[in-house]
Amino acid sequence: MTSFDRYAEMNITLRPIIESDLPIFYQHQQHKPAQLLAAFVHEDPSDRVAFDTHWAKLMKSDKILKRSIEVDAQLVGHIMSFDIPNEHDSFDREITYWIDHHHWNKGIASKALELFLTTETTRPLFGRAAKDNIASIRSMEKCGFVLIAEERGFANARGEEIDEVVMRLT
């Protein structure tokens, strides 16, 4: 069975994030290999107070589009879009997502992003990933994002600067 076959059998849905999702998101982000792959995580992902403070800000903002990702009614991750300042003294819209490692390599990120893009209609829309996070890059490519730049940034999870890609959907 290919990952596409498994993907076709799954019921992947998005819904607004609710407060009771947050402890599950915290648990998702405690997986060290996932932190290393994502690379650009908070300074100390195990700091629950920092996590709660960060998510309290996210939950209050109506400028952030926030969705939980469910597979067959099981919470497996989240996806969001938000504004980031750019070099032109304005803002770019960017996406971020996290899939629990137990659900990797099943096409969930690609399908969740595809679904998300029906609600988040801002274009251009940007995404970033560690250059070696091939699965995340591939998910964005499947949804029409193209590579526009490579940059270096400090990755807290790895404790060093690493290469990252910048993708754009027009």
Side-chain angles (χ1 to χ4, degrees):
M1 178 182 293
T2 68
S3 61
F4 179 78
D5 295 330
R6 285 180 285 166
Y7 158 82
E9 295 173 1
M10 293 182 286
N11 181 24
I12 300 170
T13 57
L14 303 182
R15 63 163 173 76
I17 293 173
I18 56 176
E19 292 289 331
S20 61
D21 294 340
L22 303 183
I24 298 167
F25 294 163
Y26 177 78
Q27 288 305 315
H28 290 170
Q29 294 179 9
Q30 297 314 298
H31 186 249
K32 294 291 185 193
Q35 292 172 9
L36 291 172
L37 189 60
F40 300 99
V41 297
H42 290 281
E43 190 172 329
D44 180 3
S46 67
D47 183 340
R48 184 59 189 260
V49 172
F51 175 90
D52 289 341
T53 301
H54 175 72
W55 272 94
K57 291 177 188 174
L58 295 177
M59 294 298 284
K60 288 179 186 173
S61 176
D62 60 356
K63 294 183 179 187
I64 301 172
L65 181 58
K66 309 169 275 291
R67 296 292 183 262
S68 288
I69 303 167
E70 292 183 330
V71 175
D72 299 325
Q74 177 186 0
L75 182 61
V76 301
H78 64 273
I79 187 166
M80 297 185 286
S81 58
F82 55 95
D83 292 329
I84 58 166
N86 64 28
E87 67 274 5
H88 305 292
D89 293 325
S90 62
F91 293 90
D92 290 328
R93 193 77 173 161
E94 189 166 303
I95 57 151
T96 186
Y97 51 88
W98 189 286
I99 306 295
D100 176 45
H101 72 281
H102 293 104
H103 300 279
W104 287 357
N105 301 315
K106 298 177 184 176
I108 295 168
S110 297
K111 181 62 178 178
L113 182 53
E114 178 186 319
L115 291 169
F116 189 74
L117 293 174
T118 66
T119 303
E120 175 53 84
T121 57
T122 303
R123 304 293 184 269
L125 185 63
F126 297 87
R128 294 172 177 266
K131 187 175 179 178
D132 59 359
N133 188 342
I134 303 304
S136 187
I137 294 167
R138 185 69 189 120
S139 290
M140 287 188 277
E141 288 174 337
K142 286 178 184 178
C143 291
F145 285 78
V146 295
L147 177 67
I148 61 163
E150 292 187 19
E151 298 178 353
R152 290 197 50 86
F154 187 81
N156 284 323
R158 301 182 191 182
E160 64 184 348
E161 275 199 7
I162 65 166
D163 294 326
E164 69 176 320
V165 298
V166 180
M167 313 280 291
R168 179 176 60 207
L169 177 66
T170 53

